[in-house]
PDB file of all heavy atoms in Angstrom:
ATOM      1  N   VAL A 224     -34.520 -38.544 -17.777  1.00 95.00           N
ATOM      2  CA  VAL A 224     -35.134 -39.875 -17.721  1.00 95.00           C
ATOM      3  C   VAL A 224     -34.022 -40.864 -17.367  1.00 95.00           C
ATOM      4  O   VAL A 224     -32.971 -40.850 -18.004  1.00 95.00           O
ATOM      5  CB  VAL A 224     -35.725 -40.265 -19.098  1.00 95.00           C
ATOM      6  CG1 VAL A 224     -36.356 -41.651 -19.052  1.00 95.00           C
ATOM      7  CG2 VAL A 224     -36.735 -39.237 -19.575  1.00 95.00           C
ATOM      8  N   GLU A 226     -33.358 -45.046 -16.040  1.00 92.00           N
ATOM      9  CA  GLU A 226     -33.934 -46.351 -15.700  1.00 92.00           C
ATOM     10  C   GLU A 226     -32.863 -47.405 -15.918  1.00 92.00           C
ATOM     11  O   GLU A 226     -32.158 -47.374 -16.922  1.00 92.00           O
ATOM     12  CB  GLU A 226     -35.131 -46.625 -16.597  1.00 92.00           C
ATOM     13  CG  GLU A 226     -35.941 -47.842 -16.229  1.00 92.00           C
ATOM     14  CD  GLU A 226     -36.849 -47.601 -15.026  1.00 92.00           C
ATOM     15  OE1 GLU A 226     -37.862 -46.898 -15.149  1.00 92.00           O
ATOM     16  OE2 GLU A 226     -36.495 -48.131 -13.948  1.00 92.00           O
ATOM     17  N   VAL A 231     -32.211 -53.348 -20.307  1.00 93.00           N
ATOM     18  CA  VAL A 231     -31.816 -52.058 -20.887  1.00 93.00           C
ATOM     19  C   VAL A 231     -31.521 -51.030 -19.804  1.00 93.00           C
ATOM     20  O   VAL A 231     -32.141 -51.037 -18.731  1.00 93.00           O
ATOM     21  CB  VAL A 231     -32.914 -51.518 -21.837  1.00 93.00           C
ATOM     22  CG1 VAL A 231     -34.204 -51.227 -21.087  1.00 93.00           C
ATOM     23  CG2 VAL A 231     -32.453 -50.251 -22.565  1.00 93.00           C
ATOM     24  N   ILE A 233     -31.574 -47.021 -19.494  1.00 96.00           N
ATOM     25  CA  ILE A 233     -32.024 -45.836 -20.230  1.00 96.00           C
ATOM     26  C   ILE A 233     -31.523 -44.594 -19.518  1.00 96.00           C
ATOM     27  O   ILE A 233     -31.641 -44.480 -18.299  1.00 96.00           O
ATOM     28  CB  ILE A 233     -33.573 -45.756 -20.268  1.00 96.00           C
ATOM     29  CG1 ILE A 233     -34.145 -47.014 -20.916  1.00 96.00           C
ATOM     30  CG2 ILE A 233     -34.044 -44.516 -21.017  1.00 96.00           C
ATOM     31  CD1 ILE A 233     -35.656 -47.128 -20.819  1.00 96.00           C
ATOM     32  N   VAL A 237     -36.293 -35.948 -21.978  1.00 95.00           N
ATOM     33  CA  VAL A 237     -37.403 -35.617 -22.866  1.00 95.00           C
ATOM     34  C   VAL A 237     -37.690 -34.127 -22.678  1.00 95.00           C
ATOM     35  O   VAL A 237     -37.390 -33.558 -21.627  1.00 95.00           O
ATOM     36  CB  VAL A 237     -38.688 -36.433 -22.558  1.00 95.00           C
ATOM     37  CG1 VAL A 237     -38.483 -37.895 -22.888  1.00 95.00           C
ATOM     38  CG2 VAL A 237     -39.128 -36.253 -21.116  1.00 95.00           C
ATOM     39  N   PHE A 252     -32.974 -41.208 -30.786  1.00 95.00           N
ATOM     40  CA  PHE A 252     -32.681 -42.416 -30.022  1.00 95.00           C
ATOM     41  C   PHE A 252     -31.242 -42.821 -30.305  1.00 95.00           C
ATOM     42  O   PHE A 252     -30.810 -42.807 -31.464  1.00 95.00           O
ATOM     43  CB  PHE A 252     -33.529 -43.596 -30.504  1.00 95.00           C
ATOM     44  CG  PHE A 252     -34.909 -43.613 -29.961  1.00 95.00           C
ATOM     45  CD1 PHE A 252     -35.991 -43.549 -30.818  1.00 95.00           C
ATOM     46  CD2 PHE A 252     -35.126 -43.726 -28.596  1.00 95.00           C
ATOM     47  CE1 PHE A 252     -37.279 -43.581 -30.330  1.00 95.00           C
ATOM     48  CE2 PHE A 252     -36.409 -43.761 -28.101  1.00 95.00           C
ATOM     49  CZ  PHE A 252     -37.492 -43.681 -28.966  1.00 95.00           C
ATOM     50  N   TYR A 263     -41.257 -47.776 -33.721  1.00 89.00           N
ATOM     51  CA  TYR A 263     -41.903 -48.504 -32.630  1.00 89.00           C
ATOM     52  C   TYR A 263     -41.580 -47.858 -31.283  1.00 89.00           C
ATOM     53  O   TYR A 263     -42.468 -47.594 -30.473  1.00 89.00           O
ATOM     54  CB  TYR A 263     -41.429 -49.961 -32.668  1.00 89.00           C
ATOM     55  CG  TYR A 263     -42.110 -50.868 -31.668  1.00 89.00           C
ATOM     56  CD1 TYR A 263     -43.456 -51.200 -31.811  1.00 89.00           C
ATOM     57  CD2 TYR A 263     -41.398 -51.396 -30.595  1.00 89.00           C
ATOM     58  CE1 TYR A 263     -44.078 -52.039 -30.897  1.00 89.00           C
ATOM     59  CE2 TYR A 263     -42.012 -52.241 -29.676  1.00 89.00           C
ATOM     60  CZ  TYR A 263     -43.352 -52.560 -29.829  1.00 89.00           C
ATOM     61  OH  TYR A 263     -43.958 -53.381 -28.927  1.00 89.00           O
ATOM     62  N   LEU A 264     -40.312 -47.587 -31.035  1.00 92.00           N
ATOM     63  CA  LEU A 264     -39.943 -46.952 -29.768  1.00 92.00           C
ATOM     64  C   LEU A 264     -40.442 -45.507 -29.711  1.00 92.00           C
ATOM     65  O   LEU A 264     -40.814 -45.000 -28.659  1.00 92.00           O
ATOM     66  CB  LEU A 264     -38.432 -47.002 -29.561  1.00 92.00           C
ATOM     67  CG  LEU A 264     -37.857 -48.403 -29.364  1.00 92.00           C
ATOM     68  CD1 LEU A 264     -36.375 -48.330 -29.052  1.00 92.00           C
ATOM     69  CD2 LEU A 264     -38.596 -49.167 -28.259  1.00 92.00           C
ATOM     70  N   ASN A 265     -40.457 -44.857 -30.873  1.00 92.00           N
ATOM     71  CA  ASN A 265     -41.011 -43.502 -30.923  1.00 92.00           C
ATOM     72  C   ASN A 265     -42.451 -43.521 -30.417  1.00 92.00           C
ATOM     73  O   ASN A 265     -42.887 -42.642 -29.678  1.00 92.00           O
ATOM     74  CB  ASN A 265     -40.959 -42.975 -32.359  1.00 92.00           C
ATOM     75  CG  ASN A 265     -41.670 -41.641 -32.490  1.00 92.00           C
ATOM     76  OD1 ASN A 265     -41.233 -40.648 -31.917  1.00 92.00           O
ATOM     77  ND2 ASN A 265     -42.774 -41.621 -33.206  1.00 92.00           N
ATOM     78  N   HIS A 266     -43.157 -44.555 -30.803  1.00 91.00           N
ATOM     79  CA  HIS A 266     -44.545 -44.686 -30.371  1.00 91.00           C
ATOM     80  C   HIS A 266     -44.631 -44.780 -28.849  1.00 91.00           C
ATOM     81  O   HIS A 266     -45.525 -44.211 -28.225  1.00 91.00           O
ATOM     82  CB  HIS A 266     -45.161 -45.911 -31.043  1.00 91.00           C
ATOM     83  CG  HIS A 266     -46.637 -45.986 -30.902  1.00 91.00           C
ATOM     84  ND1 HIS A 266     -47.244 -46.554 -29.806  1.00 91.00           N
ATOM     85  CD2 HIS A 266     -47.624 -45.524 -31.694  1.00 91.00           C
ATOM     86  CE1 HIS A 266     -48.555 -46.459 -29.950  1.00 91.00           C
ATOM     87  NE2 HIS A 266     -48.811 -45.833 -31.070  1.00 91.00           N
ATOM     88  N   ALA A 267     -43.686 -45.491 -28.273  1.00 93.00           N
ATOM     89  CA  ALA A 267     -43.677 -45.625 -26.811  1.00 93.00           C
ATOM     90  C   ALA A 267     -43.509 -44.255 -26.151  1.00 93.00           C
ATOM     91  O   ALA A 267     -44.173 -43.942 -25.157  1.00 93.00           O
ATOM     92  CB  ALA A 267     -42.548 -46.565 -26.376  1.00 93.00           C
ATOM     93  N   VAL A 268     -42.642 -43.434 -26.710  1.00 94.00           N
ATOM     94  CA  VAL A 268     -42.419 -42.108 -26.129  1.00 94.00           C
ATOM     95  C   VAL A 268     -43.677 -41.265 -26.264  1.00 94.00           C
ATOM     96  O   VAL A 268     -44.157 -40.666 -25.297  1.00 94.00           O
ATOM     97  CB  VAL A 268     -41.241 -41.379 -26.826  1.00 94.00           C
ATOM     98  CG1 VAL A 268     -41.028 -40.013 -26.203  1.00 94.00           C
ATOM     99  CG2 VAL A 268     -39.980 -42.206 -26.736  1.00 94.00           C
ATOM    100  N   VAL A 269     -44.210 -41.242 -27.473  1.00 92.00           N
ATOM    101  CA  VAL A 269     -45.407 -40.435 -27.706  1.00 92.00           C
ATOM    102  C   VAL A 269     -46.536 -40.900 -26.790  1.00 92.00           C
ATOM    103  O   VAL A 269     -47.263 -40.093 -26.210  1.00 92.00           O
ATOM    104  CB  VAL A 269     -45.816 -40.486 -29.199  1.00 92.00           C
ATOM    105  CG1 VAL A 269     -47.143 -39.775 -29.418  1.00 92.00           C
ATOM    106  CG2 VAL A 269     -44.725 -39.860 -30.056  1.00 92.00           C
ATOM    107  N   ALA A 270     -46.643 -42.226 -26.620  1.00 91.00           N
ATOM    108  CA  ALA A 270     -47.699 -42.758 -25.757  1.00 91.00           C
ATOM    109  C   ALA A 270     -47.524 -42.286 -24.311  1.00 91.00           C
ATOM    110  O   ALA A 270     -48.503 -42.044 -23.601  1.00 91.00           O
ATOM    111  CB  ALA A 270     -47.706 -44.287 -25.818  1.00 91.00           C
ATOM    112  N   SER A 271     -46.300 -42.115 -23.879  1.00 92.00           N
ATOM    113  CA  SER A 271     -46.096 -41.696 -22.498  1.00 92.00           C
ATOM    114  C   SER A 271     -46.445 -40.214 -22.307  1.00 92.00           C
ATOM    115  O   SER A 271     -46.645 -39.760 -21.196  1.00 92.00           O
ATOM    116  CB  SER A 271     -44.660 -41.979 -22.051  1.00 92.00           C
ATOM    117  OG  SER A 271     -43.766 -41.268 -22.860  1.00 92.00           O
ATOM    118  N   PHE A 272     -46.560 -39.486 -23.391  1.00 91.00           N
ATOM    119  CA  PHE A 272     -46.962 -38.074 -23.325  1.00 91.00           C
ATOM    120  C   PHE A 272     -48.478 -37.919 -23.479  1.00 91.00           C
ATOM    121  O   PHE A 272     -48.976 -36.812 -23.594  1.00 91.00           O
ATOM    122  CB  PHE A 272     -46.296 -37.280 -24.446  1.00 91.00           C
ATOM    123  CG  PHE A 272     -44.932 -36.753 -24.096  1.00 91.00           C
ATOM    124  CD1 PHE A 272     -43.812 -37.543 -24.252  1.00 91.00           C
ATOM    125  CD2 PHE A 272     -44.784 -35.468 -23.617  1.00 91.00           C
ATOM    126  CE1 PHE A 272     -42.553 -37.049 -23.940  1.00 91.00           C
ATOM    127  CE2 PHE A 272     -43.539 -34.962 -23.307  1.00 91.00           C
ATOM    128  CZ  PHE A 272     -42.424 -35.758 -23.459  1.00 91.00           C
ATOM    129  N   GLU A 273     -49.153 -39.050 -23.520  1.00 86.00           N
ATOM    130  CA  GLU A 273     -50.572 -39.029 -23.824  1.00 86.00           C
ATOM    131  C   GLU A 273     -51.332 -37.984 -23.013  1.00 86.00           C
ATOM    132  O   GLU A 273     -51.207 -37.927 -21.791  1.00 86.00           O
ATOM    133  CB  GLU A 273     -51.146 -40.412 -23.525  1.00 86.00           C
ATOM    134  CG  GLU A 273     -52.533 -40.615 -24.047  1.00 86.00           C
ATOM    135  CD  GLU A 273     -53.140 -41.870 -23.431  1.00 86.00           C
ATOM    136  OE1 GLU A 273     -52.452 -42.904 -23.419  1.00 86.00           O
ATOM    137  OE2 GLU A 273     -54.266 -41.773 -22.931  1.00 86.00           O
ATOM    138  N   LEU A 286     -32.762 -39.850 -26.096  1.00 97.00           N
ATOM    139  CA  LEU A 286     -32.757 -41.008 -25.209  1.00 97.00           C
ATOM    140  C   LEU A 286     -31.628 -41.957 -25.583  1.00 97.00           C
ATOM    141  O   LEU A 286     -31.448 -42.301 -26.759  1.00 97.00           O
ATOM    142  CB  LEU A 286     -34.114 -41.715 -25.280  1.00 97.00           C
ATOM    143  CG  LEU A 286     -35.253 -40.860 -24.705  1.00 97.00           C
ATOM    144  CD1 LEU A 286     -36.612 -41.408 -25.118  1.00 97.00           C
ATOM    145  CD2 LEU A 286     -35.141 -40.775 -23.179  1.00 97.00           C
ATOM    146  N   LEU A 288     -30.052 -45.552 -24.973  1.00 95.00           N
ATOM    147  CA  LEU A 288     -30.335 -46.894 -24.474  1.00 95.00           C
ATOM    148  C   LEU A 288     -29.047 -47.704 -24.538  1.00 95.00           C
ATOM    149  O   LEU A 288     -28.320 -47.652 -25.536  1.00 95.00           O
ATOM    150  CB  LEU A 288     -31.392 -47.594 -25.325  1.00 95.00           C
ATOM    151  CG  LEU A 288     -32.634 -46.802 -25.718  1.00 95.00           C
ATOM    152  CD1 LEU A 288     -33.621 -47.695 -26.452  1.00 95.00           C
ATOM    153  CD2 LEU A 288     -33.304 -46.201 -24.501  1.00 95.00           C
ATOM    154  N   GLU A 311     -38.409 -56.441 -28.138  1.00 85.00           N
ATOM    155  CA  GLU A 311     -38.931 -55.115 -28.402  1.00 85.00           C
ATOM    156  C   GLU A 311     -40.084 -54.729 -27.489  1.00 85.00           C
ATOM    157  O   GLU A 311     -40.202 -53.579 -27.062  1.00 85.00           O
ATOM    158  CB  GLU A 311     -39.398 -55.047 -29.862  1.00 85.00           C
ATOM    159  CG  GLU A 311     -38.707 -53.978 -30.649  1.00 85.00           C
ATOM    160  CD  GLU A 311     -39.173 -53.946 -32.099  1.00 85.00           C
ATOM    161  OE1 GLU A 311     -40.127 -54.679 -32.451  1.00 85.00           O
ATOM    162  OE2 GLU A 311     -38.592 -53.194 -32.859  1.00 85.00           O
ATOM    163  N   HIS A 312     -40.916 -55.722 -27.184  1.00 88.00           N
ATOM    164  CA  HIS A 312     -42.108 -55.405 -26.378  1.00 88.00           C
ATOM    165  C   HIS A 312     -41.741 -54.953 -24.984  1.00 88.00           C
ATOM    166  O   HIS A 312     -42.296 -53.992 -24.463  1.00 88.00           O
ATOM    167  CB  HIS A 312     -43.044 -56.614 -26.305  1.00 88.00           C
ATOM    168  CG  HIS A 312     -43.633 -56.948 -27.627  1.00 88.00           C
ATOM    169  ND1 HIS A 312     -44.426 -56.072 -28.319  1.00 88.00           N
ATOM    170  CD2 HIS A 312     -43.507 -58.043 -28.400  1.00 88.00           C
ATOM    171  CE1 HIS A 312     -44.775 -56.619 -29.473  1.00 88.00           C
ATOM    172  NE2 HIS A 312     -44.230 -57.814 -29.540  1.00 88.00           N
ATOM    173  N   ALA A 313     -40.790 -55.652 -24.396  1.00 89.00           N
ATOM    174  CA  ALA A 313     -40.362 -55.274 -23.048  1.00 89.00           C
ATOM    175  C   ALA A 313     -39.749 -53.878 -23.081  1.00 89.00           C
ATOM    176  O   ALA A 313     -40.012 -53.037 -22.228  1.00 89.00           O
ATOM    177  CB  ALA A 313     -39.355 -56.282 -22.520  1.00 89.00           C
ATOM    178  N   LEU A 314     -38.953 -53.626 -24.105  1.00 91.00           N
ATOM    179  CA  LEU A 314     -38.302 -52.328 -24.246  1.00 91.00           C
ATOM    180  C   LEU A 314     -39.340 -51.211 -24.330  1.00 91.00           C
ATOM    181  O   LEU A 314     -39.210 -50.152 -23.704  1.00 91.00           O
ATOM    182  CB  LEU A 314     -37.469 -52.361 -25.531  1.00 91.00           C
ATOM    183  CG  LEU A 314     -36.162 -51.606 -25.533  1.00 91.00           C
ATOM    184  CD1 LEU A 314     -35.300 -52.025 -24.369  1.00 91.00           C
ATOM    185  CD2 LEU A 314     -35.429 -51.874 -26.852  1.00 91.00           C
ATOM    186  N   TYR A 315     -40.361 -51.475 -25.108  1.00 92.00           N
ATOM    187  CA  TYR A 315     -41.456 -50.516 -25.273  1.00 92.00           C
ATOM    188  C   TYR A 315     -42.067 -50.169 -23.919  1.00 92.00           C
ATOM    189  O   TYR A 315     -42.211 -49.005 -23.551  1.00 92.00           O
ATOM    190  CB  TYR A 315     -42.518 -51.131 -26.187  1.00 92.00           C
ATOM    191  CG  TYR A 315     -43.683 -50.218 -26.521  1.00 92.00           C
ATOM    192  CD1 TYR A 315     -43.733 -49.572 -27.743  1.00 92.00           C
ATOM    193  CD2 TYR A 315     -44.736 -50.026 -25.633  1.00 92.00           C
ATOM    194  CE1 TYR A 315     -44.795 -48.743 -28.075  1.00 92.00           C
ATOM    195  CE2 TYR A 315     -45.797 -49.193 -25.946  1.00 92.00           C
ATOM    196  CZ  TYR A 315     -45.830 -48.556 -27.177  1.00 92.00           C
ATOM    197  OH  TYR A 315     -46.879 -47.737 -27.490  1.00 92.00           O
ATOM    198  N   ALA A 316     -42.384 -51.215 -23.177  1.00 92.00           N
ATOM    199  CA  ALA A 316     -43.056 -51.008 -21.888  1.00 92.00           C
ATOM    200  C   ALA A 316     -42.151 -50.254 -20.911  1.00 92.00           C
ATOM    201  O   ALA A 316     -42.594 -49.335 -20.207  1.00 92.00           O
ATOM    202  CB  ALA A 316     -43.480 -52.352 -21.309  1.00 92.00           C
ATOM    203  N   ILE A 317     -40.897 -50.633 -20.877  1.00 93.00           N
ATOM    204  CA  ILE A 317     -39.969 -49.989 -19.932  1.00 93.00           C
ATOM    205  C   ILE A 317     -39.797 -48.514 -20.279  1.00 93.00           C
ATOM    206  O   ILE A 317     -39.846 -47.628 -19.425  1.00 93.00           O
ATOM    207  CB  ILE A 317     -38.593 -50.705 -19.952  1.00 93.00           C
ATOM    208  CG1 ILE A 317     -38.748 -52.140 -19.459  1.00 93.00           C
ATOM    209  CG2 ILE A 317     -37.576 -49.952 -19.111  1.00 93.00           C
ATOM    210  CD1 ILE A 317     -37.527 -53.006 -19.684  1.00 93.00           C
ATOM    211  N   LEU A 318     -39.631 -48.257 -21.550  1.00 94.00           N
ATOM    212  CA  LEU A 318     -39.432 -46.886 -22.008  1.00 94.00           C
ATOM    213  C   LEU A 318     -40.645 -46.028 -21.647  1.00 94.00           C
ATOM    214  O   LEU A 318     -40.528 -44.936 -21.080  1.00 94.00           O
ATOM    215  CB  LEU A 318     -39.232 -46.903 -23.525  1.00 94.00           C
ATOM    216  CG  LEU A 318     -38.681 -45.643 -24.166  1.00 94.00           C
ATOM    217  CD1 LEU A 318     -37.347 -45.275 -23.560  1.00 94.00           C
ATOM    218  CD2 LEU A 318     -38.531 -45.848 -25.670  1.00 94.00           C
ATOM    219  N   LYS A 319     -41.805 -46.548 -21.958  1.00 93.00           N
ATOM    220  CA  LYS A 319     -43.028 -45.785 -21.711  1.00 93.00           C
ATOM    221  C   LYS A 319     -43.186 -45.476 -20.226  1.00 93.00           C
ATOM    222  O   LYS A 319     -43.456 -44.344 -19.836  1.00 93.00           O
ATOM    223  CB  LYS A 319     -44.226 -46.560 -22.251  1.00 93.00           C
ATOM    224  CG  LYS A 319     -45.541 -45.813 -22.111  1.00 93.00           C
ATOM    225  CD  LYS A 319     -46.660 -46.540 -22.827  1.00 93.00           C
ATOM    226  CE  LYS A 319     -47.994 -46.070 -22.271  1.00 93.00           C
ATOM    227  NZ  LYS A 319     -49.123 -46.831 -22.790  1.00 93.00           N
ATOM    228  N   SER A 320     -42.990 -46.487 -19.406  1.00 92.00           N
ATOM    229  CA  SER A 320     -43.235 -46.248 -17.983  1.00 92.00           C
ATOM    230  C   SER A 320     -42.164 -45.333 -17.385  1.00 92.00           C
ATOM    231  O   SER A 320     -42.457 -44.500 -16.533  1.00 92.00           O
ATOM    232  CB  SER A 320     -43.357 -47.564 -17.220  1.00 92.00           C
ATOM    233  OG  SER A 320     -42.081 -48.043 -16.901  1.00 92.00           O
ATOM    234  N   SER A 321     -40.925 -45.433 -17.862  1.00 93.00           N
ATOM    235  CA  SER A 321     -39.918 -44.574 -17.234  1.00 93.00           C
ATOM    236  C   SER A 321     -40.096 -43.113 -17.640  1.00 93.00           C
ATOM    237  O   SER A 321     -39.837 -42.208 -16.849  1.00 93.00           O
ATOM    238  CB  SER A 321     -38.499 -45.074 -17.502  1.00 93.00           C
ATOM    239  OG  SER A 321     -38.292 -45.223 -18.864  1.00 93.00           O
ATOM    240  N   ILE A 322     -40.561 -42.868 -18.842  1.00 94.00           N
ATOM    241  CA  ILE A 322     -40.809 -41.467 -19.235  1.00 94.00           C
ATOM    242  C   ILE A 322     -42.011 -40.914 -18.476  1.00 94.00           C
ATOM    243  O   ILE A 322     -41.989 -39.794 -17.973  1.00 94.00           O
ATOM    244  CB  ILE A 322     -41.018 -41.343 -20.754  1.00 94.00           C
ATOM    245  CG1 ILE A 322     -39.744 -41.752 -21.478  1.00 94.00           C
ATOM    246  CG2 ILE A 322     -41.385 -39.913 -21.131  1.00 94.00           C
ATOM    247  CD1 ILE A 322     -39.863 -41.810 -22.965  1.00 94.00           C
ATOM    248  N   LYS A 323     -43.053 -41.736 -18.376  1.00 91.00           N
ATOM    249  CA  LYS A 323     -44.223 -41.292 -17.606  1.00 91.00           C
ATOM    250  C   LYS A 323     -43.805 -40.933 -16.188  1.00 91.00           C
ATOM    251  O   LYS A 323     -44.238 -39.931 -15.624  1.00 91.00           O
ATOM    252  CB  LYS A 323     -45.268 -42.415 -17.552  1.00 91.00           C
ATOM    253  CG  LYS A 323     -46.171 -42.433 -18.731  1.00 91.00           C
ATOM    254  CD  LYS A 323     -47.434 -43.207 -18.398  1.00 91.00           C
ATOM    255  CE  LYS A 323     -48.558 -42.698 -19.272  1.00 91.00           C
ATOM    256  NZ  LYS A 323     -49.866 -43.059 -18.801  1.00 91.00           N
ATOM    257  N   HIS A 324     -42.992 -41.777 -15.636  1.00 90.00           N
ATOM    258  CA  HIS A 324     -42.529 -41.562 -14.282  1.00 90.00           C
ATOM    259  C   HIS A 324     -41.786 -40.227 -14.175  1.00 90.00           C
ATOM    260  O   HIS A 324     -42.025 -39.430 -13.278  1.00 90.00           O
ATOM    261  CB  HIS A 324     -41.626 -42.715 -13.868  1.00 90.00           C
ATOM    262  CG  HIS A 324     -41.136 -42.623 -12.472  1.00 90.00           C
ATOM    263  ND1 HIS A 324     -41.954 -42.854 -11.395  1.00 90.00           N
ATOM    264  CD2 HIS A 324     -39.931 -42.285 -11.969  1.00 90.00           C
ATOM    265  CE1 HIS A 324     -41.266 -42.664 -10.292  1.00 90.00           C
ATOM    266  NE2 HIS A 324     -40.026 -42.318 -10.612  1.00 90.00           N
ATOM    267  N   SER A 325     -40.880 -39.983 -15.120  1.00 91.00           N
ATOM    268  CA  SER A 325     -40.119 -38.734 -15.093  1.00 91.00           C
ATOM    269  C   SER A 325     -41.015 -37.517 -15.219  1.00 91.00           C
ATOM    270  O   SER A 325     -40.861 -36.537 -14.493  1.00 91.00           O
ATOM    271  CB  SER A 325     -39.122 -38.687 -16.250  1.00 91.00           C
ATOM    272  OG  SER A 325     -38.107 -39.602 -16.026  1.00 91.00           O
ATOM    273  N   LEU A 326     -41.948 -37.589 -16.143  1.00 89.00           N
ATOM    274  CA  LEU A 326     -42.837 -36.440 -16.339  1.00 89.00           C
ATOM    275  C   LEU A 326     -43.622 -36.157 -15.066  1.00 89.00           C
ATOM    276  O   LEU A 326     -43.858 -35.013 -14.693  1.00 89.00           O
ATOM    277  CB  LEU A 326     -43.797 -36.699 -17.505  1.00 89.00           C
ATOM    278  CG  LEU A 326     -43.168 -36.717 -18.894  1.00 89.00           C
ATOM    279  CD1 LEU A 326     -44.180 -37.147 -19.947  1.00 89.00           C
ATOM    280  CD2 LEU A 326     -42.602 -35.350 -19.255  1.00 89.00           C
ATOM    281  N   GLY A 327     -44.005 -37.237 -14.373  1.00 85.00           N
ATOM    282  CA  GLY A 327     -44.739 -37.061 -13.127  1.00 85.00           C
ATOM    283  C   GLY A 327     -43.837 -36.524 -12.027  1.00 85.00           C
ATOM    284  O   GLY A 327     -44.158 -35.552 -11.350  1.00 85.00           O
ATOM    285  N   LEU A 335     -51.225 -36.983 -13.091  1.00 39.00           N
ATOM    286  CA  LEU A 335     -51.236 -38.398 -13.448  1.00 39.00           C
ATOM    287  C   LEU A 335     -51.003 -39.280 -12.226  1.00 39.00           C
ATOM    288  O   LEU A 335     -50.153 -39.021 -11.398  1.00 39.00           O
ATOM    289  CB  LEU A 335     -50.172 -38.696 -14.503  1.00 39.00           C
ATOM    290  CG  LEU A 335     -50.414 -38.063 -15.859  1.00 39.00           C
ATOM    291  CD1 LEU A 335     -49.288 -38.432 -16.813  1.00 39.00           C
ATOM    292  CD2 LEU A 335     -51.739 -38.501 -16.437  1.00 39.00           C
ATOM    293  N   PHE A 337     -49.914 -42.909 -11.189  1.00 38.00           N
ATOM    294  CA  PHE A 337     -49.223 -43.996 -11.869  1.00 38.00           C
ATOM    295  C   PHE A 337     -49.726 -45.382 -11.532  1.00 38.00           C
ATOM    296  O   PHE A 337     -49.424 -46.333 -12.211  1.00 38.00           O
ATOM    297  CB  PHE A 337     -47.716 -43.888 -11.635  1.00 38.00           C
ATOM    298  CG  PHE A 337     -47.181 -42.664 -12.259  1.00 38.00           C
ATOM    299  CD1 PHE A 337     -46.921 -41.549 -11.493  1.00 38.00           C
ATOM    300  CD2 PHE A 337     -47.015 -42.594 -13.628  1.00 38.00           C
ATOM    301  CE1 PHE A 337     -46.472 -40.393 -12.083  1.00 38.00           C
ATOM    302  CE2 PHE A 337     -46.562 -41.438 -14.216  1.00 38.00           C
ATOM    303  CZ  PHE A 337     -46.291 -40.338 -13.442  1.00 38.00           C
ATOM    304  N   ASP A 340     -54.619 -47.503 -14.334  1.00 36.00           N
ATOM    305  CA  ASP A 340     -54.463 -47.789 -15.750  1.00 36.00           C
ATOM    306  C   ASP A 340     -54.539 -46.463 -16.518  1.00 36.00           C
ATOM    307  O   ASP A 340     -55.497 -45.715 -16.377  1.00 36.00           O
ATOM    308  CB  ASP A 340     -55.608 -48.720 -16.179  1.00 36.00           C
ATOM    309  CG  ASP A 340     -55.472 -49.106 -17.643  1.00 36.00           C
ATOM    310  OD1 ASP A 340     -54.618 -48.536 -18.343  1.00 36.00           O
ATOM    311  OD2 ASP A 340     -56.239 -49.966 -18.076  1.00 36.00           O
ATOM    312  N   SER A 341     -53.545 -46.202 -17.295  1.00 37.00           N
ATOM    313  CA  SER A 341     -53.501 -44.895 -17.957  1.00 37.00           C
ATOM    314  C   SER A 341     -54.680 -44.700 -18.910  1.00 37.00           C
ATOM    315  O   SER A 341     -55.075 -43.590 -19.209  1.00 37.00           O
ATOM    316  CB  SER A 341     -52.194 -44.737 -18.721  1.00 37.00           C
ATOM    317  OG  SER A 341     -52.147 -45.709 -19.738  1.00 37.00           O
ATOM    318  N   GLU A 342     -55.236 -45.791 -19.379  1.00 36.00           N
ATOM    319  CA  GLU A 342     -56.365 -45.675 -20.301  1.00 36.00           C
ATOM    320  C   GLU A 342     -57.540 -44.938 -19.649  1.00 36.00           C
ATOM    321  O   GLU A 342     -58.367 -44.353 -20.300  1.00 36.00           O
ATOM    322  CB  GLU A 342     -56.875 -47.065 -20.730  1.00 36.00           C
ATOM    323  CG  GLU A 342     -55.853 -47.967 -21.354  1.00 36.00           C
ATOM    324  CD  GLU A 342     -55.310 -47.403 -22.662  1.00 36.00           C
ATOM    325  OE1 GLU A 342     -56.070 -46.692 -23.363  1.00 36.00           O
ATOM    326  OE2 GLU A 342     -54.145 -47.655 -22.948  1.00 36.00           O
TER     327      GLU A 342
END
Side-chain angles (χ1 to χ4, degrees):
V224 180
E226 188 77 73
V231 64
I233 302 172
V237 292
F252 279 119
Y263 185 69
L264 294 185
N265 173 66
H266 192 274
V268 180
V269 174
S271 61
F272 273 85
E273 192 193 313
L286 293 165
L288 315 185
E311 238 179 7
H312 294 299
L314 215 53
Y315 184 101
I317 296 169
L318 194 58
K319 183 172 160 187
S320 83
S321 54
I322 296 174
K323 275 200 154 197
H324 182 73
S325 290
L326 290 173
L335 293 180
F337 295 101
D340 182 351
S341 63
E342 304 297 329

